[in-house]
Amino acid sequence: MSGQSLLVPGELSPARSVPGNIRRPEYVGKPAPTPYTGPEVQTAETIEAMRIAGRIAAQAMAEAAKLIAPGVTTDELDKVAHEYMCDHGAYPSTLGYRGYPKSLCSSVNEVICHGIPDSTVLRDGDIVNLDVTAYIGGVHGDNNATYLCGDVDEESRLLVERTREALNRAIKAVKPGRQINVIGRVIESYAKRFGYGVVRDFTGHGINSSFHSGLIIPHYDSPHATTVIEPGMTFTIEPMLTLGTHDYDMWDDGWTVVTKDRKRTAQFEHTLVVTDSGAEILTLP
């Protein structure tokens, strides 16, 4: 694995503003969102709105990813995604969610998820996960991907490639009538072929008018994930695979999650709607 030094927290820039005419999610300015009590199966109208939100989120992530290079700060990536979403009438869903201070998550190397963009400078050989969610039309679209920064070592490159493949295999396993745990079973069995850890405590989730509806999508074969998949359900799949343990530590910021052994980790995510025959990806640029 790359001999990069471990990450340390950087300095946060001031909060970015969102134009007043852009609709905010109900949780902005509150300590926590109102619990979702609606159905997991969505109407055609909601699904169409989620297609719009998903496309904006995907394109915002793609625009930010264009900047990934040695010498660029993670805060610069946040700025690009923030401006793209605002320019397209969308609110960055993470901004103000349970107090989160930025418009995307930037998780580098040993950071599993929820890394906060700051003055951290990307280095040659880093791997960088961007997690972007857009809120527009009363719904959210959520996606993430891991990118290579400069000349990345082979072990890390394969981890990224195989994590993307794990997501693709899981999406193909989504069929009406199956239980949710088929998703984690497919991911875990694939990851085990390479000796990777599968993060258990951070999962996919139901998503719609609520950022996190309460539906849990584990990425391992959980005996408790027995909910039956139905057409019209909307949720994310977002496997996090590691080069070592799935155990983790959390930084003092209350958000940044790092592997306990500080080995590298990668993640990919799409928002999906279940169709009569499988799943449609809603987060394509």
Side-chain angles (χ1 to χ4, degrees):
M1 188 180 76
S2 169
Q4 299 280 45
S5 58
L6 298 177
L7 292 168
V8 295
E11 293 185 8
L12 285 178
S13 65
R16 304 192 196 283
S17 62
V18 177
N21 65 318
I22 293 178
R23 179 179 173 183
R24 272 75 170 152
E26 59 82 24
Y27 51 75
V28 174
K30 295 161 58 174
T34 302
Y36 178 73
T37 57
E40 298 298 344
V41 172
Q42 303 305 310
T43 65
E45 182 180 35
T46 297
I47 293 165
E48 184 54 38
M50 290 181 68
R51 288 190 180 98
I52 295 169
R55 282 195 294 269
I56 292 173
Q59 194 59 46
M61 185 174 72
E63 290 299 312
K66 290 177 182 177
L67 266 70
I68 291 175
V72 173
T73 67
T74 54
D75 190 60
E76 291 175 83
L77 305 178
D78 181 79
K79 181 176 185 288
V80 170
H82 177 93
E83 291 180 349
Y84 185 92
M85 285 185 273
C86 291
D87 287 348
H88 290 78
Y91 186 91
S93 300
T94 59
L95 184 61
Y97 179 79
R98 298 184 181 272
Y100 187 83
K102 291 295 176 180
S103 298
L104 57 70
C105 298
S106 55
S107 302
V108 181
N109 296 343
E110 70 270 18
V111 180
I112 294 172
C113 58
H114 304 159
I116 301 174
D118 58 17
S119 62
T120 297
V121 176
L122 298 178
R123 303 161 296 181
D124 187 54
D126 284 342
I127 60 173
V128 187
N129 179 270
L130 300 182
D131 193 335
V132 180
T133 310
Y135 177 78
I136 188 171
V139 298
H140 300 268
D142 184 5
N143 69 159
N144 76 55
T146 304
Y147 300 90
L148 309 182
C149 181
D151 185 17
V152 174
D153 68 274
E154 180 73 357
E155 185 179 35
S156 299
R157 189 188 63 76
L158 285 172
L159 173 68
V160 171
E161 179 182 302
R162 290 164 176 166
T163 306
R164 181 192 291 111
E165 176 63 15
L167 172 60
N168 291 340
R169 289 179 179 226
I171 292 171
K172 290 176 183 175
V174 174
K175 305 284 184 186
R178 292 178 173 177
Q179 293 183 341
I180 289 290
N181 59 11
V182 71
I183 294 168
R185 188 177 310 130
V186 166
I187 292 167
E188 188 174 41
S189 63
Y190 180 70
K192 279 183 174 179
R193 288 168 49 181
F194 311 104
Y196 294 155
V198 180
V199 172
R200 301 168 77 90
D201 289 353
F202 300 90
T203 67
H205 52 89
I207 184 170
N208 39 67
S209 60
S210 173
F211 195 170
H212 299 87
S213 74
L215 177 67
I216 301 299
I217 312 294
H219 303 119
Y220 64 99
D221 188 4
S222 169
H224 306 295
T226 55
T227 300
V228 175
I229 298 170
E230 299 178 59
M233 293 175 75
T234 50
F235 53 81
T236 72
I237 303 177
E238 44 188 300
M240 292 151 262
L241 305 187
T242 72
L243 290 175
T245 182
H246 63 76
D247 293 328
Y248 65 91
D249 294 317
M250 186 175 288
W251 284 4
D252 291 342
D253 61 22
W255 285 103
T256 306
V257 179
V258 296
T259 54
K260 187 169 278 293
D261 57 14
R262 302 305 190 264
K263 291 186 177 181
R264 288 187 167 188
T265 175
Q267 181 183 16
F268 284 83
E269 172 187 21
H270 277 305
T271 295
L272 311 172
V273 59
V274 180
T275 67
D276 289 337
S277 59
E280 175 192 345
I281 299 172
L282 300 178
T283 39
L284 291 175

